Amino acid sequence: MKKLSQKTIYTCFTVLIGGTLILSGCGKTEDTSSTAKATDNKASAAPSKPVPIAFSMNVNTVPDVDNNDGIKWLNQKFNMDLKFTPIPNSNFQEKFNAMVASGSMPDVFTFNFDATAIRLIKQGAIAPLDEVIAKYPNLKYSKLHYDNVSYNGKIYGIPIARSLLSAPNAPLIRQDWLDKLKLPVPKTLDELYATMQAMTNNDPDGNGKKDTYGLQLGEITGRVGDFNGREFWGAGDLLFSFGLDGSGWVLKDGQLAMNESLPEYKTYLDWLKKAVSEGLVDPDFALNKANQAQDKFFKNGKGGIAFDFVSVIRNFTTTVPKTTPGAKLTAFEPPVGPTGKSGVVSGPGNVGAIFISSTAAKDANKVKTIMQWLDYGPSKENGYVAAGTQKYNKLQNFGLEGVTFKANSDGNVEVTDKDKLQKLGGGYILPTQALPSPENTNYTKDSDDPETLKLEIAANDILLKHLKASPIAGLQSATEQSTPDMYMDIVKAKVKYVMGQLSAAEWDQALKAFMDKNGTKVTQEYNEALKGAKK
């Protein structure tokens, strides 16, 4: 997409939010491609009067904003006059619509980086922040974090940071079974398959029964937005080994293509079909809910290999060794396919983003004040040390010292007034979040078992090496959003094909019917969105 003209644009500010079209009136809109940089460069000395800042955020529980000690503290520290409008999640779209329609767009606000945010960007309502962010060291998250809040090569949002490891599945394998079978950790797709065969057929648990299987999988739901909406639970990251993508979409030569539409996908299905026919996969894979698939592997211990969340490793280490002494897991590198490819789809790296309006960006002091406030969130000044470990987000999580928490002599922070902390508003006080370094500790919980902790960290270290950004991050398809069951027919065909109930010709027919009905249209919509969202 071409950059907006540097000239002033006369426009009617039209927004589509939650399916509602809003017309806010016509007027002048300045191109904001360099607004934030210009205002920051010409920032004057600190203003003598508090800087007025209108802030809005969606919340689960609406805090008391009148006589709020948290807001008073922020106002004093940053010399600002923060007017906070919390909006309940239950009617966020409606309320935000009304706010925009009335012409009272907040100076700074939180929102998902989605189709609505992109419309606001295209209409010049949100300012780019590249040059501004560069001046605030605590907001220097990774490129992947900022790729997911960028549009047309510019950063428009500050991530409400979440670990990139919050969603990916780690490859995990029974080390004790490998030892029993005298097998190395598999490195390639072929080696993985051979290991699955051995774990199914060679009695790795030593009970004299053929009651084990190589690969743990679960159902496909078929629902748009589900983690396993289009792929079997636990199989998504195997797609990379076949030259596909765990996001469901492959970006090739500047164009997005649905996994299913590519010949490599048929190769992947044939691989699974063969494994199922040989009994190498949990026989109930098509019926297992996600939690059932996890329990079978991480609690019952009958599967040899799983691709699943690092957070459920402790389910294995606290249960299986008690019934099977010596049971042990190992994390391994994603298997390399015949063309040398492998990977793990990255998490989005945020739970929404923080935007600054183009109007606010014209005021240098306002931008500077907002950025100082946001930069404080992930700073060490807003942290504390507990048991020799640097912690963050003290204000956000605990409120004010002497009001809602106290710092003990051992460095730990203890909440003293939960009711008052709730009234402060918790998360709204500081919408940015810190990502400890190394990042892999962010979603590793403290564990009483050092071996569990060691395995969690090792699994996250492997994931960090292989994360692949989703090529559709930040993109939307109107058809997909309005048709949440659009994948039902094609996933039913997948299940039947993998289970040997459909021929190759019948799979081709099912795929064609799906593409003719919705697949081609959704592909076109994603590619249209991609034109203006170059990552």
Side-chain angles (χ1 to χ4, degrees):
M1 180 177 178
K2 295 180 178 179
K3 295 181 180 179
L4 294 174
S5 168
Q6 296 295 321
K7 296 180 180 179
T8 298
I9 304 170
Y10 286 81
T11 183
C12 292
F13 185 51
T14 307
V15 187
L16 180 64
I17 302 179
T20 303
L21 187 65
I22 296 174
L23 184 64
S24 178
C26 301
K28 292 192 294 182
T29 302
E30 298 289 342
D31 168 41
T32 61
S33 60
S34 59
T35 302
K37 178 181 179 180
T39 55
D40 196 71
N41 285 342
K42 66 180 181 181
S44 60
S48 56
K49 294 183 178 180
V51 178
I53 294 174
F55 170 51
S56 181
M57 182 176 181
N58 56 308
V59 295
N60 290 319
T61 302
V62 177
D64 180 6
V65 297
D66 297 322
N67 299 312
N68 187 296
D69 289 337
I71 294 176
K72 290 178 182 177
W73 187 91
L74 288 170
N75 284 340
Q76 183 176 7
K77 182 171 181 62
F78 298 106
N79 191 31
M80 63 183 180
D81 181 13
L82 185 68
K83 301 298 183 184
F84 173 50
T85 303
I87 304 178
N89 282 319
S90 58
N91 62 347
F92 175 65
Q93 296 284 5
E94 177 186 350
K95 291 289 187 180
F96 195 83
N97 283 357
M99 190 179 294
V100 173
S102 67
S104 56
M105 165 105 37
D107 297 319
V108 57
F109 60 95
T110 63
F111 209 87
N112 287 331
F113 197 87
D114 57 13
T116 298
I118 290 175
R119 289 190 191 96
L120 293 173
I121 291 168
K122 289 171 70 175
Q123 292 163 349
I126 297 175
L129 301 172
D130 303 69
E131 292 85 355
V132 176
I133 290 170
K135 299 180 180 180
Y136 293 89
N138 298 314
L139 297 178
K140 290 182 180 178
Y141 303 124
S142 74
K143 183 178 183 299
L144 276 176
H145 281 92
Y146 276 112
D147 279 350
N148 289 335
V149 290
S150 296
Y151 179 82
N152 203 20
K154 290 185 177 293
I155 297 170
Y156 281 89
I158 300 169
I160 303 177
R162 187 184 189 194
S163 172
L164 295 165
L165 300 172
S166 59
N169 284 338
L172 302 165
I173 192 167
R174 288 286 296 268
Q175 181 63 57
D176 56 316
W177 287 11
L178 290 176
D179 294 342
K180 172 74 182 300
L181 299 171
K182 295 181 171 54
L183 292 173
V185 173
K187 295 181 180 180
T188 68
L189 201 56
D190 287 344
E191 290 177 1
L192 182 75
Y193 196 90
T195 302
M196 289 162 54
Q197 289 176 316
M199 289 182 166
T200 302
N201 300 319
N202 299 345
D203 191 24
D205 60 358
N207 67 355
K209 301 177 182 178
K210 190 175 180 181
D211 58 354
T212 59
Y213 47 85
L215 181 63
Q216 182 65 62
L217 296 180
E219 70 167 354
I220 308 176
T221 69
R223 294 187 296 268
V224 170
D226 281 3
F227 195 79
N228 54 327
R230 281 168 54 194
E231 286 306 329
F232 297 104
W233 180 270
D237 290 324
L238 276 172
L239 294 166
F240 289 99
S241 303
F242 291 87
L244 301 163
D245 196 287
S247 69
W249 294 84
V250 173
L251 181 62
K252 187 176 181 180
D253 299 327
Q255 289 290 306
L256 286 166
M258 194 176 290
N259 273 344
E260 291 88 340
S261 68
L262 300 172
E264 291 89 344
Y265 195 80
K266 182 73 175 307
T267 303
Y268 157 74
L269 286 183
D270 286 336
W271 187 90
L272 274 184
K273 181 179 180 180
K274 184 170 184 272
V276 169
S277 71
E278 293 182 14
L280 311 185
V281 178
D282 174 9
D284 297 323
F285 74 98
L287 302 176
N288 294 328
K289 303 294 184 185
N291 63 320
Q292 291 173 324
Q294 288 176 326
D295 283 352
K296 284 188 171 185
F297 185 86
F298 293 96
K299 292 183 179 180
N300 299 343
K302 288 299 180 183
I305 300 163
F307 295 77
D308 218 311
F309 300 139
V310 172
S311 60
V312 294
I313 286 175
R314 65 190 59 245
N315 293 350
F316 182 96
T317 58
T318 57
T319 56
V320 180
K322 292 179 181 178
T323 56
T324 308
K328 184 179 180 181
L329 283 182
T330 293
F332 66 105
E333 308 276 339
V336 177
T339 61
K341 295 182 179 179
S342 65
V344 178
V345 68
S346 170
N350 67 72
V351 287
I354 304 163
F355 300 95
I356 296 178
S357 73
S358 57
T359 301
K362 297 173 186 176
D363 185 328
N365 286 320
K366 184 165 289 192
V367 171
K368 183 176 181 180
T369 302
I370 290 172
M371 294 303 294
Q372 287 175 338
W373 164 40
L374 299 181
D375 188 61
Y376 176 76
S379 68
K380 283 191 176 181
E381 183 185 351
N382 185 37
Y384 57 101
V385 176
T389 302
Q390 177 68 47
K391 306 285 187 178
Y392 294 83
N393 303 330
K394 181 170 63 177
L395 180 61
Q396 182 183 24
N397 294 327
F398 299 102
L400 302 173
E401 187 167 8
V403 178
T404 57
F405 79 85
K406 66 178 181 178
N408 297 327
S409 58
D410 60 3
N412 288 310
V413 175
E414 179 183 350
V415 174
T416 55
D417 194 328
K418 292 182 179 179
D419 291 338
K420 189 169 287 186
L421 178 59
Q422 185 175 12
K423 289 180 180 179
L424 289 180
Y428 91 80
I429 294 176
L430 236 9
T432 53
Q433 298 178 23
L435 290 176
S437 181
E439 190 198 24
N440 65 6
T441 62
N442 194 42
Y443 276 80
T444 299
K445 301 175 183 177
D446 294 334
S447 175
D448 294 332
D449 177 20
E451 288 302 312
T452 299
L453 186 61
K454 182 179 178 181
L455 178 55
E456 289 173 337
I457 293 174
N460 280 334
D461 280 340
I462 288 172
L463 289 175
L464 283 171
K465 290 167 55 180
H466 296 280
L467 291 178
K468 308 288 186 184
S470 168
I472 61 166
L475 306 182
Q476 300 289 331
S477 157
T479 298
E480 190 179 67
Q481 288 184 315
S482 63
T483 319
D485 62 348
M486 63 167 284
Y487 294 109
M488 288 294 184
D489 289 342
I490 194 64
V491 300
K492 288 177 182 177
K494 289 181 192 182
V495 174
K496 289 182 178 179
Y497 183 75
V498 167
M499 296 184 72
Q501 299 170 2
L502 280 187
S503 67
E506 288 171 325
W507 162 257
D508 290 341
Q509 291 171 3
L511 178 59
K512 183 179 185 305
F514 166 73
M515 296 302 292
D516 288 345
K517 183 178 181 180
N518 282 315
T520 299
K521 185 177 181 182
V522 169
T523 301
Q524 291 171 343
E525 290 172 352
Y526 268 117
N527 276 294
E528 283 298 315
L530 180 66
K531 288 181 181 179
K534 299 173 183 176
K535 299 300 183 185

